[in-house]
Amino acid sequence: MKAKVWRVDPSEPDAKSIEEAASILRKGGVVAFPTETVYGLGAVYHMRDAVIRVFKVKRRPPDNPLILHISSFSQIYTLASEVPEAVHRLAEKFWPGPLTVVLPKTSRVPYEVTGGLEKVAVRMPAHNVALRLIEAVGDPIAAPSANLSGRPSPTTAQHVLADLGDEIDGVLDAGETLYGVESTVIDLTADPPVLLRPGAVPLEEVEKVLGKVCVPAFARGLGEAERALAPGTRYRHYSPRAQLVLVELKDYSDLSKLVDRVKRLVAENAGRGLRVGVLCTDETREHYSGLGAVVLSLGSRRDPFGIARRLYSSFREMDSLGVDVIVAEGVDERGLGLTIMNRMRKASTKRVVV
């Protein structure tokens, strides 16, 4: 089976394509669609067989919850048994947008969606294609990222097709996604709220609305939660096929230490006969010329948005170039840097802290 591809305008998708995709979903199919973060693999949330198929297609562990995507705030009352005032404040500022809230679930939400938890993760995506698809279906859509589990999340329809093209019913292709990393996930069932996964909305912006938010070690990409409390909290994620060695600095004010360690790691791995790639930034790129490594810059350290947006596609590009080992520079954890480091740490096979 080859997935049907509908190419649509991200601003004004044609109604026929949206309805065809919605019809497949209403009949229990699975369809990939763009959001402002990454492409998602959708099923109607209350159709258990369709939800189970999403897990099977992705090779996703069944205890790893899915996020439910809504197109209007009123739909949250179908999914959550309690909607505290904090949700309204967050929604006013961030919805539609890349913020997910975790709340107590209603009995209408199957445990297949929540990984057996009594909590449900909900967000309203800021993408016309996603919103119109949900509206056409008439129900919230359960959707993880549309990639094989453990692989970098897809930021284009081509990434989706490369991973899942023979196993899903269709994909709405609206070009490259905006943010390139997933939504921020906040657990509002805890007091104070807990950051389960950093994402496209920086923690600092969430704290302006909620006040202090707890940041456990696993949210920084350091270790795993005891169980999968939300997507990205347990299991290895986002990984290229190549081994990824992440080089971090305790203090990013002196990048010369970072460059020196990256160069040493390149030489060590090249000496073992391996094809080496370097993921760096504009500020250091020139230092890696002449090493015989494949060098890709993620952008400037002054533009963490750009770095986050290029991260997954750069992982996939390194794989397409046949690299065996990627040596990647870390970034400061402030703002979107926390999200970038979470993804890099979760993807890495080895960390080196200088």
Side-chain angles (χ1 to χ4, degrees), residues 69-81:
H69 295 69
I70 61 176
S71 57
S72 66
F73 190 87
S74 62
Q75 289 177 318
I76 200 170
Y77 297 103
T78 301
L79 310 175
S81 60

Side-chain angles (χ1 to χ4, degrees), residues 8-15 17-19 21-22 25-26 31-38 40 68-75 91 94-99 122-141 143 172 174:
V8 295
D9 185 322
S11 300
E12 292 293 334
D14 68 277
S17 295
I18 294 294
E19 177 51 36
L25 288 170
R26 290 194 300 266
V31 172
F33 63 96
T35 74
E36 78 280 25
T37 57
V38 299
L68 297 188
H69 295 69
I70 61 176
S71 57
S72 66
F73 190 87
S74 62
Q75 289 177 318
F94 298 114
W95 280 5
L99 181 76
V122 184
R123 86 176 186 98
M124 186 188 298
H127 196 294
N128 281 337
V129 175
L131 292 173
R132 294 191 185 185
L133 180 64
I134 300 164
E135 290 169 0
V137 168
D139 275 309
I141 295 177
L172 285 158

Side-chain angles (χ1 to χ4, degrees), residues 63-68 79-82 100-122 185-196 218 227-231 233:
D63 66 342
N64 197 2
L66 307 183
I67 292 173
L68 297 188
L79 310 175
S81 60
E82 297 176 29
T100 296
V101 294
V102 174
L103 301 166
K105 82 176 193 70
T106 65
S107 60
R108 297 182 183 182
V109 180
Y111 286 112
E112 287 85 353
V113 168
T114 66
L117 298 175
E118 296 292 342
K119 303 176 182 182
V120 63
V122 184
V185 182
I186 302 290
D187 187 352
L188 294 176
T189 69
D191 187 15
V194 177
L195 176 69
L196 297 182
F218 65 77
R227 68 175 300 179
L229 303 171
T233 60

